[in-house]
Amino acid sequence: MSVGYVMLVHTALGRAAQVARHWAQSGCPVVIHADANVPDAEFIPFRESLADLENVLFVGQRQRCDWGTWGIVGATIDAATQMLEAYPDLGHVYLASGSCLPLRPVPELVAYLAERPRTDFIESVTIEDVRWSKGGFDHERFALRFPFSFKRQRFLFDHFVEFQRKLGVKRHLPEGLVPHLGSQWWCLSRRTLDAILKDPRREEYDRFFRNVWIPDESYFQSLARLHSQRIESRSLTLSKFDHQGKPHTFYDDHLQLLRRSDCFVARKIWPRAERLYSSFLSNDPSVTKNAEPSPGKIDRLFAKASETRLRGRPGLYMQSRFPVQERDNARSAGPYSVFEGFDHLFENFESWLAKVTGCRVHGHLFSPGRVEFAAGEKVFNGGLSDSASLRDYNPCGFLTNLVWNTRGERQCLMYGPQDNQHPEGFMASDPNAQISVITGAWAIGLYRTNITSEVVRKEAARLQRIEQAHVEVLRSRWAKARIRIWNLAEFIEAPMDNLQEVLDEISLHGPRRLTEVPRLADLSGFGRFLQQLKNDGMNLHMAGDFPAGLAPAPLNPQARPYLVK
């Protein structure tokens, strides 16, 4: 025999029995330690289910294995001692848990270890070389004492740590011992493991590590450095952790990913992953790879998953991430376009834009009265209501939901100084937003009203103040949207050139000659209207230098071959 398995089990005993039977029937002895927290009503049937296998042994004196405490190391020592005494011909001992699952045929592991009889596979790094803990202790895990359980006695744990810090407590390491950290799951040669267990100073080492935080990540990792002839500082068990230091759980849809890792064993497996257990609990020689274990091949996928969990998908928030507005991440799930002033300058601009681009074109989604969804809909994708009061409870969330629920279809919306200005910063800082602004175009709507000049002047002054502040937001250095700004006078000098520049980015159709152009609003007398406002004491400068007699020429699509992409 070349390898024996030490199993530490505390839950999902049925699956643990299934794996233990697989290893035992493959010719490998198994010694099992069941956590003392497991009630006899569960442990006794578990033990009896494996009673027919002569090479499966159980540790008689069960220890309580609370996370981060000495009990886990004590249980490992007891099981390993029993393994070496019962099977003197073993070459290696493989430490596993009840949630572990072999990924490759057992004969492959046997052959792999037989070629490396003096090699110890244990992740072992010094605390100076790597920051191992996630929000925990590095040097302090060896300098302080941790007699209380982190999970069951958290109040005592925290206060005792603070008490020691205030007193300046610092424990001394045993002479000659250099602390190392690494994964709990190792595969040690018999020679090294026997030397650790029979070390003359073991009582001193055990006394020291009893009060170390999470000693199962440092006891064997440190002592192996004193006795091993050759250490491969890596684990043969695939075990991935998230940004909080919690182990990833593997499910049925991870089948191909686990196969790609080429590792011999993986943890932590979901107990109900029927497909994984039925696929891997086999010694079928047809799946033999004879490949070097390489968990690094799937690191990129875990890194991407961790990034997604931390930053989220663009435009999709969760409770813990929603308040964080400074993430370097798109605010929305996809691109969308905002047109400001175009619906004033062009007649029926919304219907023309929808026809030319193939996009969904809305009216003023943030108008004071109601949400102007496309085609006058009252309820839009995702159950969004046209109620202005519901929208204004969280305007940015409203826009985020609209874009998220219409993924794959570009949304266009009208916007202006008469609308709710709350989402302006959100849109300006969103890389997915395309914002096109014709400043002063809103004055065309005032020009068409038949109200007294005093009322118009006050309303024009109010709208201009809002638009001026809005433009400052769009031109701020933190704006990330694709932004174009013209004043009204600039835009009507070459309206189709400017409009073409915007449409090139958003049209869903292929390149084609534009044969239909939007019709400009009748601006006869508009210049005199602006001059009258000036005469009344209000300078509408956002519209640009618009001479009193200026009226734009009608558009002629044949004058130039405009292409729409």
Side-chain angles (χ1 to χ4, degrees):
M1 288 174 285
S2 64
V3 60
Y5 290 90
V6 167
M7 290 186 68
L8 306 179
V9 302
H10 71 283
T11 186
L13 302 186
R15 287 302 190 189
Q18 190 177 355
V19 174
R21 180 172 293 276
H22 170 75
W23 280 329
Q25 291 179 342
S26 300
C28 299
V30 180
V31 176
I32 300 176
H33 178 279
D35 192 339
N37 293 308
V38 177
D40 289 341
E42 296 179 19
F43 172 69
I44 294 175
F46 168 62
R47 183 178 60 188
E48 292 177 349
S49 69
L50 298 170
D52 59 309
L53 298 171
E54 295 182 354
N55 56 348
V56 175
L57 306 177
F58 284 83
V59 176
Q61 187 66 34
R62 295 193 286 156
Q63 298 197 39
R64 183 183 295 274
C65 298
D66 291 331
W67 182 86
T69 64
W70 171 258
I72 298 176
V73 177
T76 305
I77 291 174
D78 291 346
T81 301
Q82 186 171 342
M83 174 71 77
L84 296 183
E85 291 176 352
Y87 301 98
D89 297 331
L90 281 180
H92 283 80
V93 174
Y94 200 118
L95 179 62
S97 74
S99 62
C100 284
L101 177 66
L103 303 182
R104 294 164 64 174
V106 175
E108 265 200 278
L109 176 61
V110 172
Y112 184 85
L113 296 176
E115 294 175 358
R116 303 160 178 82
R118 297 181 179 274
T119 302
D120 299 296
F121 297 92
I122 179 169
E123 192 172 30
S124 175
V125 294
T126 61
I127 56 178
E128 286 78 13
D129 294 335
V130 65
R131 179 176 175 81
W132 183 265
S133 59
K134 301 291 186 181
F137 306 95
D138 288 323
H139 292 80
E140 280 188 323
R141 68 167 63 198
F142 300 104
L144 303 181
R145 287 180 172 83
F146 300 89
F148 302 106
S149 171
F150 179 80
K151 292 188 174 180
R152 291 192 306 108
Q153 301 167 303
R154 186 61 182 270
F155 179 84
L156 295 175
F157 181 96
D158 290 342
H159 282 73
F160 192 64
V161 167
E162 289 301 319
F163 177 72
Q164 292 179 87
R165 286 172 175 170
K166 290 180 180 179
L167 292 182
V169 172
K170 185 175 182 181
R171 300 171 66 203
H172 295 288
L173 292 168
E175 185 177 355
L177 180 70
V178 178
H180 284 68
L181 296 172
S183 170
Q184 174 187 357
W185 313 109
W186 42 255
C187 179
L188 295 177
S189 65
R190 178 188 182 90
R191 179 191 175 280
T192 300
L193 183 57
D194 191 58
I196 292 175
L197 298 179
K198 295 180 180 179
D199 191 307
R201 299 176 60 192
R202 188 185 136 193
E203 184 178 348
E204 177 188 0
Y205 295 143
D206 289 3
R207 187 166 55 251
F208 174 79
F209 280 99
R210 281 182 185 275
N211 286 304
V212 168
W213 193 55
I214 318 181
D216 54 273
E217 292 181 350
S218 58
Y219 181 84
F220 290 97
Q221 293 76 4
S222 300
L223 298 184
R225 291 289 176 177
L226 301 178
H227 302 287
S228 177
Q229 291 184 342
R230 185 174 187 273
I231 284 182
E232 286 275 349
S233 185
R234 59 191 175 99
S235 176
L236 299 181
T237 298
L238 175 65
S239 181
K240 293 294 184 179
F241 296 86
D242 62 15
H243 67 287
Q244 294 178 325
K246 298 179 180 179
H248 284 285
T249 300
F250 295 102
Y251 300 90
D252 279 338
D253 53 356
H254 291 121
L255 176 62
Q256 296 304 322
L257 180 142
L258 293 175
R259 284 176 173 165
R260 285 174 54 193
S261 73
D262 294 333
C263 290
F264 289 104
V265 177
R267 78 171 303 270
K268 183 175 187 180
I269 308 298
W270 187 47
R272 297 183 183 179
E274 297 288 347
R275 187 182 179 193
L276 294 185
Y277 280 96
S278 61
S279 298
F280 287 117
L281 288 183
S282 168
N283 287 325
D284 185 356
S286 64
V287 298
T288 299
K289 295 184 176 182
N290 294 322
E292 189 69 27
S294 182
K297 292 192 298 185
I298 60 176
D299 282 348
R300 179 181 61 83
L301 297 177
F302 282 91
K304 184 177 180 180
S306 179
E307 180 183 9
T308 300
R309 181 174 180 182
L310 288 170
R311 299 178 60 188
R313 287 175 287 172
L316 182 63
Y317 301 135
M318 71 180 189
Q319 179 271 336
S320 62
R321 207 168 40 237
F322 189 83
V324 185
Q325 300 292 343
E326 290 76 25
R327 296 284 189 196
D328 185 18
N329 197 11
R331 297 276 182 99
S332 59
Y336 58 95
S337 298
V338 181
F339 292 86
E340 304 184 24
F342 288 78
D343 56 327
H344 294 290
L345 182 59
F346 297 103
E347 296 182 1
N348 300 318
F349 178 75
E350 296 162 26
S351 58
W352 175 86
L353 182 64
K355 181 178 180 180
V356 170
T357 63
C359 301
R360 184 75 65 96
V361 181
H362 303 277
H364 288 260
L365 292 180
F366 296 96
S367 66
R370 60 178 290 270
V371 180
E372 298 176 2
F373 289 124
E377 294 188 34
K378 294 184 177 297
V379 179
F380 198 63
N381 296 37
L384 295 175
S385 168
D386 67 345
S387 168
S389 58
L390 289 177
R391 175 205 64 201
D392 291 343
Y393 180 77
N394 187 348
C396 300
F398 169 85
L399 180 59
T400 302
N401 282 332
L402 183 140
V403 177
W404 174 259
N405 288 296
T406 56
R407 298 184 304 281
E409 178 187 55
R410 192 183 189 104
Q411 305 297 302
C412 300
L413 61 124
M414 305 299 120
Y415 195 67
Q418 70 274 21
D419 296 331
N420 186 331
Q421 298 297 300
H422 186 275
E424 64 177 353
F426 178 94
M427 295 187 293
S429 61
D430 186 2
N432 280 328
Q434 179 205 46
I435 304 176
S436 305
V437 184
I438 305 175
T439 63
W442 45 266
I444 299 174
L446 293 180
Y447 166 60
R448 292 174 177 172
T449 62
N450 293 318
I451 54 180
T452 62
S453 59
E454 179 67 17
V455 174
V456 169
R457 182 177 62 79
K458 290 183 177 180
E459 180 65 7
R462 184 183 73 86
L463 294 178
Q464 180 165 258
R465 285 194 302 270
I466 295 174
E467 186 173 60
Q468 189 168 4
H470 176 62
V471 170
E472 291 177 0
V473 170
L474 298 181
R475 287 175 172 163
S476 62
R477 63 174 180 267
W478 48 263
K480 296 181 179 179
R482 180 73 174 89
I483 300 172
R484 297 178 179 87
I485 301 176
W486 306 269
N487 62 43
L488 181 59
E490 290 174 342
F491 190 89
I492 63 174
E493 290 179 1
M496 286 310 299
D497 286 341
N498 298 326
L499 191 57
Q500 180 74 49
E501 185 180 349
V502 178
L503 298 181
D504 282 347
E505 292 186 11
I506 67 173
S507 179
L508 303 179
H509 303 301
R512 66 183 180 87
R513 186 181 297 274
L514 181 62
T515 58
E516 181 182 353
V517 295
R519 183 177 179 181
L520 275 172
D522 184 7
L523 298 183
S524 301
F526 181 68
R528 291 189 295 274
F529 167 74
L530 297 181
Q531 184 60 47
Q532 183 61 45
L533 286 178
K534 292 181 181 179
N535 296 341
D536 292 339
M538 193 272 161
N539 182 14
L540 208 162
H541 59 85
M542 298 299 289
D545 187 10
F546 207 107
L550 178 60
L555 298 180
N556 179 11
Q558 305 301 325
R560 171 176 179 187
Y562 293 104
L563 295 181
V564 177
K565 296 181 180 178

